[in-house]
Amino acid sequence: MSLYEEFRFKPAAWLPNSHMALEELERIRNIKREDMEYVNENGFQVRVVLDPTLCMVQDVFYRILMSDLHDTHLTMIFPNQWPGAYGAIAEMLNKHNVSARNVDAFAMDEWADEDGNVAPTTYGAGLGYSFLNHFYKKIREDLRPAPEHWHVLTNENKGTGVYSQMIEEAGQGGADVIYSATGWPGHTAFIDPRSEEFAADSLEEFCKLGSRIVTQTPLTICENSLFAPMGGAGDVWAVPPRAATIGPRDVVNARERFELHNILNNEGGESWQRMISRIELYGPISMECPASIMRLGKGTCYVSEAIARPFASWHCGIEDKDL
């Protein structure tokens, strides 16, 4: 039975993709596990695995290892906050004496206040704080790159396009790889749908926009209130209203993309990410789901088995045993 068969309604108008046909939403919602994996014409593929984070840890370690062995430069863009994963990478670098000397690492975003002032790296809930303290400083001092090669967004580089230019200069046109995990409204970093600061007349124009200060959308604030740095308590008042972020141009310019879809609300497998994962991967490539531009180039999205599970809303005839 279709979700909309008993009670047909339009999604709230403020939601991204709210104008998508109900039948299209239903198609996306009902993508089966066996139909999820594919490789598109741009070399972007979807893989379903038990734990995407383990894949990311191995991928990061391998790339840094190769840059050390072959003495080649490596430019990487990272999401936050992933202290467990980053600590594991640092531990393996230290254990195997792998030098990260050739790495330019960029955190993709940071909080900002209502006036656009970027959070300092001393702010405990800050993205830059985590990137430096849970990753860079965990790498043994003799194996770290110079401090100026571990980049975070600050008041000094928050100007429109400045951080993007830094990435392009370090990576000779763009990062070698960008790691990301889509957010509830379908964002990458703080590239939110319907963001005034990322307004564009076409997808082509949108993909040329670089880093900048943005105003977070309501769904993004709600999402971040669920994470540990903000108390994991739905405390939306603890989430700063604005942010500094990379732009769509940095996603498109990257030579490879690495996505993880594996965020769970609890051990029972409940997750806000299950529907937006499907919209990003099986819906249209559009500004309504900014993360969908990942599919425009080579890359891999690793979807966890938990996110790949079927789901649906309750229908008539619900009995106690179904609750």
Side-chain angles (χ1 to χ4, degrees), residues 105-164:
F106 290 83
M108 61 169 49
D109 46 20
E110 182 57 280
W111 310 112
D113 68 15
E114 64 277 10
D115 297 317
N117 298 305
V118 178
T121 55
T122 54
Y123 176 50
L127 308 178
Y129 174 92
S130 180
F131 195 57
L132 293 171
N133 288 277
H134 299 147
F135 198 176
Y136 181 74
K137 292 182 181 179
K138 296 286 187 181
I139 301 172
R140 208 170 69 215
E141 192 170 358
D142 61 309
L143 300 177
R144 298 174 195 159
E148 59 268 23
H149 290 274
W150 212 264
H151 309 270
V152 297
L153 282 144
T154 66
N155 281 322
E156 286 67 42
N157 60 34
K158 69 179 182 181
T160 300
V162 174
Y163 202 65
S164 293

Side-chain angles (χ1 to χ4, degrees), residues 223-235:
E223 172 196 332
N224 281 289
S225 75
L226 300 175
F227 292 132
M230 303 305 173
D235 188 352

Side-chain angles (χ1 to χ4, degrees), residues 204-241:
E204 181 180 13
E205 180 185 332
F206 178 73
C207 288
K208 294 177 181 178
L209 299 177
S211 57
R212 63 198 59 207
I213 293 287
V214 297
T215 303
Q216 294 186 66
T217 58
L219 206 52
T220 291
I221 289 177
C222 291
E223 172 196 332
N224 281 289
S225 75
L226 300 175
F227 292 132
M230 303 305 173
D235 188 352
V236 292
W237 300 271
V239 182

Side-chain angles (χ1 to χ4, degrees), residues 10-22 25 194 288:
K10 293 181 179 180
W14 59 268
L15 286 168
N17 289 294
S18 59
H19 302 304
M20 188 181 292
L22 298 183
L25 285 169
R194 304 185 188 177
E288 284 285 280

